[in-house]
Amino acid sequence: MSIWAKVATAVRGGVSEAGEAIVDNQVLRILDQEIRDADNDIGKSKDALTGIIAKRKLADKKVESLKSSLTEYEGYAMQALDKGDETLATEIAEKIAGFETELLAEDGLATSFAGSESQLRKAVSQTEANLKRLKQQVDTVKATEKVQKAQAAVAARHSGAGSSMRSALDSLDKLKNKQAERAARFEAASELAGSTEEVSLDDKLKAAGIVGGGASGGDVLARLKAKRGG
């Protein structure tokens, strides 16, 4: 493979990595936007749920009011019958029939609101739980992405014989070797200086007659006789 082919391959590799980085960033941006949209949708759902709860409560109150009215007018009807007032009892019965018709409608409406409320509560709760998990996963992915980018940067700086870290380590080793060599030279020079000084001092003592050469045979014989005592 020629040098230009290698350069072209390297360029294509760099473009590919850059493209992947763009795609990765876009994925995270899309997820962030989808999370924001989901948050907005949940907010709208909660508003709708609040409205349904309010309507259900009003319907429940209406049902209770109608039931109370029914009980009240049934009592009136019984009193009218006890008095033998058939006409009044019939009028009250028609009123009761109207209450019953209205109660049937309101009770059905309250039941419908209660069903919608239950379903929407479950939907909101499930969506919030899913969104919470999604946020946690996105946070984890973002944190992992940052850590891996930092690791890649460190690896890129410290890998390879031509990296700045390798160059610095090599320079440090060379400096240590130079220092060790200087220390050895200083030690050798010191030893050499000490040896020369000793030789020079012996020569000076001999020249001054303070220190002579080795003892003669006569000196040794005299020393032995003296030691022997005689």
Side-chain angles (χ1 to χ4, degrees):
M1 181 181 291
S2 67
I3 184 63
W4 296 114
K6 292 180 180 179
V7 170
T9 300
V11 169
R12 287 199 303 273
V15 171
S16 176
E17 291 178 359
E20 290 179 358
I22 292 173
V23 171
D24 291 342
N25 289 332
Q26 289 301 319
V27 168
L28 292 176
R29 288 180 180 176
I30 291 172
L31 283 173
D32 286 339
Q33 184 59 49
E34 289 182 343
I35 288 173
R36 286 192 291 270
D37 292 341
D39 277 329
N40 291 333
D41 291 340
I42 289 177
K44 293 177 181 178
S45 298
K46 286 183 175 180
D47 289 340
L49 176 59
T50 301
I52 290 175
I53 292 173
K55 291 179 179 179
R56 190 264 302 162
K57 287 185 175 181
L58 288 175
D60 287 341
K61 288 182 179 180
K62 185 67 174 178
V63 168
E64 292 300 320
S65 176
L66 288 169
K67 286 181 178 180
S68 177
S69 295
L70 277 172
T71 301
E72 180 183 357
Y73 278 84
E74 282 178 354
Y76 294 155
M78 294 299 293
Q79 291 178 29
L81 289 174
D82 289 341
K83 292 179 179 182
D85 193 343
E86 189 76 21
T87 302
L88 181 58
T90 301
E91 185 178 350
I92 295 172
E94 289 177 356
K95 183 74 172 179
I96 291 172
F99 284 150
E100 288 178 345
T101 301
E102 190 177 358
L103 176 60
L104 186 63
E106 288 295 333
D107 191 51
L109 190 60
T111 301
S112 176
F113 282 141
S116 297
E117 177 186 345
S118 177
Q119 291 178 356
L120 192 52
R121 280 182 184 277
K122 290 180 181 178
V124 170
S125 178
Q126 185 66 40
T127 302
E128 285 182 325
N130 292 337
L131 185 59
K132 181 179 180 180
R133 285 194 294 270
L134 179 59
K135 287 180 178 180
Q136 291 173 341
Q137 292 175 2
V138 170
D139 289 341
T140 301
V141 169
K142 287 181 178 180
T144 302
E145 186 71 9
K146 290 180 180 179
V147 171
Q148 289 182 349
K149 283 183 178 179
Q151 289 175 334
V154 172
R157 292 191 185 99
H158 297 174
S159 65
S163 68
S164 59
M165 177 61 74
R166 176 62 60 184
S167 177
L169 290 174
D170 290 342
S171 298
L172 182 61
D173 288 339
K174 290 179 181 178
L175 182 58
K176 287 181 178 178
N177 291 335
K178 286 183 179 179
Q179 291 176 344
E181 184 178 351
R182 288 196 192 107
R185 288 183 178 180
F186 292 153
E187 186 178 352
S190 178
E191 291 178 356
L192 181 61
S195 176
T196 303
E197 183 180 355
E198 290 176 1
V199 173
S200 177
L201 180 59
D202 289 342
D203 290 342
K204 290 179 180 180
L205 290 173
K206 288 179 180 180
I210 298 174
V211 176
S216 65
D219 294 335
V220 173
L221 183 60
R223 187 175 66 250
L224 292 174
K225 287 181 177 181
K227 199 175 196 180
R228 186 167 171 271

